[in-house]
């Protein structure tokens, strides 16, 4: 049974968009990953089955096949982040659990050349709203290395709660690394997270507290 109502879905907020991950993205995905290898490597899980910085196309094809199969099974929502209609990064809601939990985990990366434009928090806010109000999930987690200040700023600006350290949770960049668990539930964003984020940015523009872009 297809549990993922509204997927594949294409979402947009100004120049920032989310659309389903496609096999046809292979060349731009590979070029972006190779160009951003040093930028991404400290934060990427070490997965010997999917060496994401290899030059071949096989790892991408395998990843897309796995994610789309998980999407059909109701276990993942794999999106491409776009900016001005062009490939900018990736955002995946995975490890979806149904039943009494209705929870999932979210991960994302952005082309370093586009950092500082507010793309990532906008894309994440759209994804959260889709998960809560279209798909029917109740809780989303983002687990982030303590050293990854840029990624932590994204979730903190969006109001994710810090819920503690998960010791040696993932193997990343050659070692088992601690992660900070951040989380939101649907009760935290009754009017939608994108609306909250838009208001925060407008407040900053009109003289409120500054909102640093990521």
């Amino acid at each position: 049974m297809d549990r993922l109502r509204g997927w594949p879905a294409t979402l947009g907020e100004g120049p920032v968009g989310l659309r389903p991950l496609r096999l046809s993205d292979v060349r731009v995905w590979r070029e972006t990953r190779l160009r951003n290898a040093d930028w991404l490597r400290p934060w990427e899980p070490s997965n010997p089955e999917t060496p994401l910085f290899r030059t071949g196309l096989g790892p991408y094809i395998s990843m897309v096949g796995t994610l789309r199969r998980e999407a059909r099974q109701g276990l993942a929502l794999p999106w491409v982040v776009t900016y001005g209609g062009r490939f900018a990064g990736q955002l995946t809601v995975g490890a979806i659990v149904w039943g009494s939990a209705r929870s999932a985990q979210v991960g994302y990366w952005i082309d370093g050349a586009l950092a500082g434009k507010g793309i990532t928090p906008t894309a994440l806010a759209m994804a959260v709203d889709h998960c809560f109000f279209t798909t029917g999930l109740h809780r989303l987690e983002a687990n982030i290395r303590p050293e990854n200040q840029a990624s932590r700023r994204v979730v903190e600006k969006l109001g994710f709660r810090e819920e503690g350290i998960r010791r040696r949770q993932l193997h990343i960049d050659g070692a088992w690394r601690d992660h900070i668990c951040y989380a939101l539930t649907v009760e935290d964003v009754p009017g939608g997270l994108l609306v909250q984020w838009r208001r925060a940015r407008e407040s900053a523009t009109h003289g409120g507290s500054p909102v640093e872009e990521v």
Side-chain angles (χ1 to χ4, degrees), residues 89-201:
Q90 187 176 344
L91 188 153
T92 300
V93 178
I96 296 176
V97 178
W98 295 97
S100 59
R102 289 187 170 263
S103 65
Q105 298 183 20
V106 61
Y108 47 83
W109 62 268
I110 191 76
D111 186 338
L114 297 173
K117 298 179 181 295
I119 298 169
T120 309
T122 301
L124 181 55
M126 288 191 294
V128 168
D129 285 352
H130 185 82
C131 287
F132 285 164
F133 304 115
T134 299
T135 303
L137 296 178
H138 176 255
R139 173 184 168 90
L140 285 175
E141 291 184 6
N143 294 293
I144 302 169
R145 286 189 61 185
E147 302 86 351
N148 192 347
Q149 295 295 331
S151 192
R152 290 177 62 186
R153 285 197 301 272
V154 169
V155 293
E156 289 167 356
K157 287 187 298 186
L158 292 177
F160 279 68
R161 289 184 305 280
E162 183 177 332
E163 294 191 343
I165 293 285
R166 294 186 168 176
R167 299 293 181 189
R168 295 174 289 279
Q169 184 188 24
L170 289 174
H171 196 273
I172 292 178
D173 198 24
W176 291 100
R177 309 290 185 176
D178 295 346
H179 283 65
I180 300 174
C181 177
Y182 290 90
L184 272 182
T185 64
V186 67
E187 292 88 354
D188 297 320
V189 289
L193 184 56
L194 186 59
V195 169
Q196 290 185 13
W197 168 236
R198 189 186 299 120
R199 287 173 179 166
R201 297 184 76 184

Side-chain angles (χ1 to χ4, degrees), residues 32-92:
T32 306
R33 297 285 301 189
L34 290 173
R35 180 164 42 81
N36 285 270
D38 291 339
W39 162 267
L40 298 174
R41 186 174 288 109
W43 324 120
E44 291 284 343
S46 308
N47 186 347
E49 296 179 357
T50 310
L52 297 182
F53 299 103
R54 257 178 38 190
T55 57
L57 304 183
Y60 177 82
I61 294 170
S62 175
M63 179 194 68
V64 173
T66 297
L67 287 174
R68 292 183 71 86
R69 181 168 61 251
E70 290 180 353
R72 290 191 297 269
Q73 295 169 347
L75 302 177
L77 286 161
W79 278 300
V80 162
V81 180
T82 61
Y83 184 67
R86 301 182 65 179
F87 187 100
Q90 187 176 344
L91 188 153
T92 300

